[in-house]
Amino acid sequence: MITYNPKDWFTFIFRFHKADTLRQLAPLIIGICAYCWIIAYLELNVFKLSKSSHITNITSMHSLLSFVISMLLVFRTNTAYDRWWEGRKLWGSLVNNSRNLAIKLHSMLGVEDEVHRSFFKKIIPMYASVLSHHLHAESTRLALDEQEQPELRNLDTNRHIPNQVASLLIQRVNRLFEEGKIKGEQLIILNNELQSFTDICGACERIKNTPIPFSYSVFLKKFIFFYVMTLPFSFVISLGYIAIPVVAFIFYVLASLELVAEEIEDPFGGDENDLPMNKMAQNIKKHVTEILG
Amino acid sequence: MITYNPKDWFTFIFRFHKADTLRQLAPLIIGICAYCWIIAYLELNVFKLSKSSHITNITSMHSLLSFVISMLLVFRTNTAYDRWWEGRKLWGSLVNNSRNLAIKLHSMLGVEDEVHRSFFKKIIPMYASVLSHHLHAESTRLALDEQEQPELRNLDTNRHIPNQVASLLIQRVNRLFEEGKIKGEQLIILNNELQSFTDICGACERIKNTPIPFSYSVFLKKFIFFYVMTLPFSFVISLGYIAIPVVAFIFYVLASLELVAEEIEDPFGGDENDLPMNKMAQNIKKHVTEILG
Amino acid sequence: MITYNPKDWFTFIFRFHKADTLRQLAPLIIGICAYCWIIAYLELNVFKLSKSSHITNITSMHSLLSFVISMLLVFRTNTAYDRWWEGRKLWGSLVNNSRNLAIKLHSMLGVEDEVHRSFFKKIIPMYASVLSHHLHAESTRLALDEQEQPELRNLDTNRHIPNQVASLLIQRVNRLFEEGKIKGEQLIILNNELQSFTDICGACERIKNTPIPFSYSVFLKKFIFFYVMTLPFSFVISLGYIAIPVVAFIFYVLASLELVAEEIEDPFGGDENDLPMNKMAQNIKKHVTEILG
Amino acid sequence: MITYNPKDWFTFIFRFHKADTLRQLAPLIIGICAYCWIIAYLELNVFKLSKSSHITNITSMHSLLSFVISMLLVFRTNTAYDRWWEGRKLWGSLVNNSRNLAIKLHSMLGVEDEVHRSFFKKIIPMYASVLSHHLHAESTRLALDEQEQPELRNLDTNRHIPNQVASLLIQRVNRLFEEGKIKGEQLIILNNELQSFTDICGACERIKNTPIPFSYSVFLKKFIFFYVMTLPFSFVISLGYIAIPVVAFIFYVLASLELVAEEIEDPFGGDENDLPMNKMAQNIKKHVTEILG
Amino acid sequence: MITYNPKDWFTFIFRFHKADTLRQLAPLIIGICAYCWIIAYLELNVFKLSKSSHITNITSMHSLLSFVISMLLVFRTNTAYDRWWEGRKLWGSLVNNSRNLAIKLHSMLGVEDEVHRSFFKKIIPMYASVLSHHLHAESTRLALDEQEQPELRNLDTNRHIPNQVASLLIQRVNRLFEEGKIKGEQLIILNNELQSFTDICGACERIKNTPIPFSYSVFLKKFIFFYVMTLPFSFVISLGYIAIPVVAFIFYVLASLELVAEEIEDPFGGDENDLPMNKMAQNIKKHVTEILG
């Protein structure tokens, strides 16, 4: 994730960061310009179409559809943002629950009980760390794929690591209860945090392995493609060669929205905008150590 | 469900998957083209209408209504997506709760207690599996139908299977409590997961048996039909025979949105985009066995 | 509620169900056509206005406002749908909680304890049944009305029936606890379901007795009325007598949206689209009997 | 709050209720008409501007901005409605929790325990009643104001009444527990309802003392003002004196949206559309008396 | 935060508050006017472009994109408002939980137990106060930054203050339980409030350290910049020098939306519209003292 100051307009407008869609789209924009130039050359210099040609009125199609495409793309970006923000919230809960669990155990365990303290000091932050690895793995993304994945068969035999860590934590707390080191009411109090780990893991897996429905995604891409490809037909007649930057700019806007959506809809990947899970796992480690130390 | 890589534009645009709306709509699009050709032939060659004809201005109706139809369809798709995503969340909770229940029981049951371990190893994943069958059944979809369904009468005499499985689980845990094998506080801790099964089942049934209100659905379909059918009247005058692909494209866009919505609003059917409940039930089985094994 | 197959387009477009807005609006649409014909006759044949008349440009007002009216109506329908769907969710919770309560009590009560079993077998489903009657009653809809309702005064002396049923359930469970038939932890576990009944009842009452704010509703209706009434002024000049079906169609679309919203915003009435509360109460009865039987 | 039948169109369109925005805006609409007439007189009769004048094209600005103003106002109204509806939900919870608390206490307290019964019969409904007063008070609205409010200084020395009532309830329940009249598990069960009172009070205070951000509100009002004030410049040329009712109607629509939003964003005031808190407090009193009686 | 009366239109329109976007944007608006004047001078007086010039039709690009830019900006403002409102809700919960905790402890602690009373009277409000400082700190905003921050290294060695205060509270309550001063059930009842402090802190940190994704923000700013910069090209031809105030007004509207969004998306800063955390912390102190006093 890139931390930035949203009020610094100058840098935003005149610098081209690696994660800037303008930089990523540059080759395609050049392609669109070339395509547009060809259409313009054909219509204006070869066929010499005039403003009374039927083809000028294709604009009315683009006007009618401009609402749909705008709304679809804006909603697409918003849905992707919701997934990204949900991912952030889940990791936020992981931070909170790790801290709360540490604080509660700190108050329940005896000051001298070094054995258990060092166990929890190690295992609580370990959950965030293994979850981070788990979510980066390709096998997690394909967990719901019904096709055979021969190259993943070996990996599949591995057990689910976050479950094992959660199991370790819950077993230890349960043993403390059975040995009488913590009372029943304290067990009830610790339960919320303990069960939240697996809930968070499952919710992150859901975001990771369930993209938006295939038909929707494929429709949107075909729509953008046809929409932009037919734009120059009428624009070159009314705008002449000025149509080239105009179509390029419209393409930049529409494609950027789709691109931003693609980047943020899976917040657990390695893109520039994805969540800094390693950093968060480190922060959890730091705080839990501080509390239980 | 189809797992795919959202960043692979080339495949999206130039291949025609079975779940692609363009492929499903192909026959209708051809029909619309024929209809459009007839209108064009009549207006241009038979009646020889000119641009000053009143009929040209029907476009203003289409402009005024283009907002409404766009917003309605985009909201329609979003509402359907929300239902689909809610379905996915519910099955995600089923995964989480099955895992958490298994982890908790694993820590509470004695290591040597093979009888109970093998009971839970079998019955916890069974819930997901019977729920999957239950949601595929036609009788579940029609559970709120007030009309007589004579052909379903025999089925109706069957009891509600998921309730029976949930009942088995809760009874067994209660017996463990009454026999003193688990303590009161542990019973309280297990309660969340135990009652969630029935809550999830009921919420899935709700999505399955309650489509969007009939009046709304019927209005939307009539609206799209009239809107597209009246489009060529004015378009053939301003666009000539180019109106044929133009109207076909507008139809493709509007109908695709409705089609995608229809496919995903019931996420528990057998459509290509529906949730992979069998795969999820298998995953639950695998993880629960791993944990309790 | 009408159960239907959303993929059956043919029936939707060519049949006119009782709940179809086209059928309900038919008389009004005929009225609008007549009104439109009068305006057309006056402007075209009596005053013989030409296209250069100032009145033609009223279209620009309709364009500017078309976005507001579209958004208002689409949001209006969506808000109404949210209320309808919230109502459905509440009844879904009622189903879930009735089932869960029955399952839990089934595991806690002795097999031979026929007295309590038959009590709960009768009283749990009774809640859904009395709630259904309660929500149909006119006095529930007017519960927040500050005006005197002389004709309802006698009814008002009746006590709140759902509260009494909930009270019966809670009292019985509490007695079981005090007699030692269920333990404290079991009481805690049963509490969620027991208190949910009153919460669900209150939330349904809220939807029933609180329509959207009066000013909002009155503004929306005045807006639609003036918008449609001024449409023909400019349309008859640019479209001639074709304006009649055009204005009728625009009216059909706008009024349908408002009509659908009105029908579904109170999901507990007797409209065709309202929730099948009786059917749901029957289903609850069937399942609870099955479980506790 | 005004209770009404949403299906009664005739009354809505032809009667002018006190809470009708058309009646509230009447003087302003007349002002706008006068302003419009002056502009029309100047442009048409004094300067005699023709249709080829540059000023005609200001319409393109109004078209470009019509989306933004529409969306802003519709969202504004929706945000205000959400606050209003949240307020209604909070009071709905207050109703539910008062009832549930009464039902639970009714089952826990001995039948003959008149002392405690009459205490709760009085204090539970009192909470709703003091909360209603608290939310009407000016000091509550200004609770987050950082400026000195010299005229409120005396009031500020008063203690927070709802907190005191909640404290009375919680203290009494705790004493019952310590005296052994209710058991620990019953105390846990009562806790949800007891703590909800303060949560509801705090959430209502939040809605009351936090309007939408100042910059947003001020921007919206300036925007509407400039938008409507510049409308006649181009409209009088294309529409002549017909521009007067046209601009008035557009103003009516935009200003009504803002007016409705202003009325409902604080649901705890004394406006016609505000929540009937007194009536709700009376209903709570009636039901609690019924249950505990 | 600025407390104001939303119904006072006159002040809103004719006064220029420090937090008014019109005042903040004034220098930029003057710049835009100058830029516009230059374009107008070049096109009208130097190149003498006529209305038949291709450049006039650039307007069609602005029309096509006006919908996207409007929706993007309105959604941007709404997302920012949601973050601001979530921040307000979190602080509202802090108020509620502090009050509830104080009320509960007041009923559980003996009247004469001055030691513990004065401890909680001091430490409960201290949480709000240290959280306020914590959220103002620059290190909190940069907590997820993966780059090295050399100037913050010294600060980083400081421990997390809110965690320490929460730990103090939880430890003290736990000691009361272990010393038998409060019972197990009372411990369970206090748990909700105690763990909420850390949850609230974590959620505030999330809003503070996670702005909207970088790519999204950068795209939006580039889009606004190009959109406004190309506006005068076509406008000066159709509007002449009137284009100057027109473009300035469009810029004012679009930039204000972005500016308002930037101000409110981080509700824990020092902007005029940010939440009055100090005032809220003072209120908490006042109320807790009142209750426990």
Side-chain angles (χ1 to χ4, degrees), chain B residues 257-290:
Chain B
L257 278 169
E258 172 69 19
L259 212 73
V260 168
E262 279 171 17
E263 267 202 32
I264 65 182
E265 75 182 336
D266 171 11
F268 307 121
D271 287 322
E272 287 280 320
N273 291 299
D274 289 342
L275 297 175
M277 293 192 286
N278 286 332
K279 181 78 183 173
M280 285 194 258
Q282 280 169 32
N283 285 354
I284 291 175
K285 190 172 188 67
K286 200 179 116 210
H287 288 131
V288 168
T289 314
E290 232 177 76

Side-chain angles (χ1 to χ4, degrees), chain E residues 92-104:
Chain E
S93 304
L94 190 61
V95 172
N96 300 345
N97 290 316
S98 302
R99 286 180 188 173
N100 256 332
L101 186 59
I103 292 178
K104 287 181 183 174

